[in-house]
Amino acid sequence: MNSSRPVCCSSVRIRAVTVGCESPGPGGLVVRLQAPAEGAPGRLSRTAKQDGGPEERLDVLHVRLVEDLPGGRVRVLTQETRIGAPAATLARQRTDPMPNGHQAWPDRLVRAASR
Protein backbone atom coordinates (compact mmCIF):
# COMPACT_ATOMS: atom_id res chain seq x y z
CA MET A 1 0.00 0.00 0.00
CA ASN A 2 1.27 3.46 -0.89
CA SER A 3 1.20 5.30 2.45
CA SER A 4 1.45 8.69 0.73
CA ARG A 5 -2.11 8.31 -0.58
CA PRO A 6 -5.22 8.69 1.60
CA VAL A 7 -7.24 5.58 2.42
CA CYS A 8 -10.78 5.48 1.09
CA CYS A 9 -13.71 4.95 3.46
CA SER A 10 -17.48 5.50 3.52
CA SER A 11 -18.75 9.10 3.36
CA VAL A 12 -15.56 10.33 1.67
CA ARG A 13 -15.81 12.44 -1.48
CA ILE A 14 -13.76 11.12 -4.36
CA ARG A 15 -12.97 12.33 -7.85
CA ALA A 16 -13.37 9.76 -10.57
CA VAL A 17 -12.66 9.86 -14.27
CA THR A 18 -15.23 8.00 -16.34
CA VAL A 19 -15.45 8.09 -20.11
CA GLY A 20 -12.66 10.65 -20.19
CA CYS A 21 -14.21 13.24 -17.88
CA GLU A 22 -14.22 13.81 -14.16
CA SER A 23 -17.28 12.90 -12.15
CA PRO A 24 -19.76 15.78 -12.18
CA GLY A 25 -20.26 18.26 -9.37
CA PRO A 26 -18.16 18.19 -6.20
CA GLY A 27 -17.13 14.58 -6.80
CA GLY A 28 -18.56 11.21 -5.95
CA LEU A 29 -19.55 10.22 -2.44
CA VAL A 30 -18.54 6.76 -1.24
CA VAL A 31 -21.71 5.28 0.25
CA ARG A 32 -20.44 1.77 0.96
CA LEU A 33 -16.98 0.31 1.24
CA GLN A 34 -16.45 -3.25 2.40
CA ALA A 35 -13.13 -5.06 2.18
CA PRO A 36 -13.22 -8.57 0.75
CA ALA A 37 -13.29 -11.38 3.30
CA GLU A 38 -13.23 -15.17 3.15
CA GLY A 39 -16.29 -16.13 1.08
CA ALA A 40 -17.52 -12.53 0.70
CA PRO A 41 -16.73 -10.08 -2.12
CA GLY A 42 -15.37 -6.60 -1.57
CA ARG A 43 -17.88 -3.83 -2.32
CA LEU A 44 -17.51 -0.22 -3.37
CA SER A 45 -20.54 1.98 -4.02
CA ARG A 46 -20.32 5.63 -4.94
CA THR A 47 -22.67 8.32 -6.10
CA ALA A 48 -22.14 11.25 -8.41
CA LYS A 49 -24.52 14.13 -8.88
CA GLN A 50 -24.75 17.03 -11.28
CA ASP A 51 -27.24 19.75 -10.43
CA GLY A 52 -28.93 22.00 -12.93
CA GLY A 53 -32.05 22.24 -14.99
CA PRO A 54 -33.87 19.23 -16.44
CA GLU A 55 -31.39 18.95 -19.35
CA GLU A 56 -28.29 19.03 -17.11
CA ARG A 57 -29.35 17.18 -13.96
CA LEU A 58 -27.71 13.78 -13.48
CA ASP A 59 -27.71 11.26 -10.63
CA VAL A 60 -25.48 8.19 -10.75
CA LEU A 61 -25.04 5.22 -8.40
CA HIS A 62 -22.06 3.04 -9.31
CA VAL A 63 -21.41 -0.30 -7.59
CA ARG A 64 -18.47 -2.70 -7.96
CA LEU A 65 -18.09 -6.14 -6.41
CA VAL A 66 -14.60 -7.65 -6.34
CA GLU A 67 -14.62 -11.38 -5.75
CA ASP A 68 -11.74 -13.83 -5.27
CA LEU A 69 -11.97 -16.94 -7.46
CA PRO A 70 -10.01 -20.20 -7.43
CA GLY A 71 -6.67 -20.26 -9.21
CA GLY A 72 -5.61 -16.74 -8.20
CA ARG A 73 -8.33 -15.15 -10.36
CA VAL A 74 -10.58 -12.21 -9.55
CA ARG A 75 -14.04 -11.32 -10.84
CA VAL A 76 -15.14 -7.67 -10.96
CA LEU A 77 -18.86 -7.01 -11.39
CA THR A 78 -20.13 -3.52 -12.15
CA GLN A 79 -23.64 -2.13 -11.97
CA GLU A 80 -24.64 1.45 -12.54
CA THR A 81 -27.88 3.38 -12.40
CA ARG A 82 -27.99 6.68 -14.28
CA ILE A 83 -30.93 9.05 -14.03
CA GLY A 84 -31.33 12.25 -16.03
CA ALA A 85 -31.30 13.65 -19.55
CA PRO A 86 -27.48 13.36 -19.98
CA ALA A 87 -27.74 9.67 -19.05
CA ALA A 88 -30.55 9.08 -21.54
CA THR A 89 -28.47 10.70 -24.28
CA LEU A 90 -25.51 8.42 -23.52
CA ALA A 91 -27.73 5.33 -23.38
CA ARG A 92 -29.07 6.02 -26.89
CA GLN A 93 -25.58 6.07 -28.36
CA ARG A 94 -24.39 2.90 -30.06
CA THR A 95 -22.08 1.91 -28.49
CA ASP A 96 -22.86 3.49 -25.10
CA PRO A 97 -19.47 4.92 -24.01
CA MET A 98 -20.09 4.33 -20.28
CA PRO A 99 -19.50 0.55 -20.21
CA ASN A 100 -16.38 0.99 -22.34
CA GLY A 101 -15.12 3.69 -19.98
CA HIS A 102 -15.81 1.52 -16.94
CA GLN A 103 -13.87 -1.38 -18.48
CA ALA A 104 -10.73 0.76 -18.37
CA TRP A 105 -10.59 0.42 -14.55
CA PRO A 106 -10.29 -3.41 -14.42
CA ASP A 107 -7.96 -3.27 -17.42
CA ARG A 108 -5.63 -1.01 -15.40
CA LEU A 109 -5.91 -3.37 -12.39
CA VAL A 110 -4.87 -6.33 -14.56
CA ARG A 111 -1.87 -4.40 -15.94
CA ALA A 112 -0.80 -3.35 -12.42
CA ALA A 113 -1.17 -6.90 -11.06
CA SER A 114 0.85 -8.31 -13.96
CA ARG A 115 3.92 -6.21 -13.17
Side-chain angles (χ1 to χ4, degrees):
M1 180 178 198
N2 181 346
S3 62
S4 66
R5 291 187 169 211
V7 175
C8 185
C9 61
S10 293
S11 301
V12 166
R13 290 219 172 268
I14 60 172
R15 295 299 261 178
V17 176
T18 302
V19 194
C21 60
E22 288 189 35
S23 58
L29 178 66
V30 174
V31 293
R32 183 170 184 187
L33 180 66
Q34 176 182 328
E38 185 68 34
R43 299 170 187 266
L44 172 63
S45 301
R46 68 174 178 91
T47 61
K49 187 177 194 88
Q50 176 173 294
D51 293 325
E55 294 304 312
E56 296 86 30
R57 194 169 322 142
L58 178 64
D59 289 300
V60 178
L61 174 63
H62 186 92
V63 180
R64 292 205 192 252
L65 298 179
V66 181
E67 182 178 21
D68 286 328
L69 298 175
R73 298 174 301 137
V74 174
R75 175 176 21 218
V76 179
L77 303 171
T78 299
Q79 184 170 5
E80 182 172 80
T81 300
R82 298 176 267 162
I83 302 170
T89 299
L90 283 172
R92 284 191 298 271
Q93 293 180 19
R94 294 293 173 252
T95 348
D96 180 347
M98 282 295 215
N100 295 331
H102 292 316
Q103 183 60 39
W105 183 74
D107 289 347
R108 287 191 303 268
L109 287 178
V110 168
R111 279 195 308 274
S114 299
R115 291 185 192 151

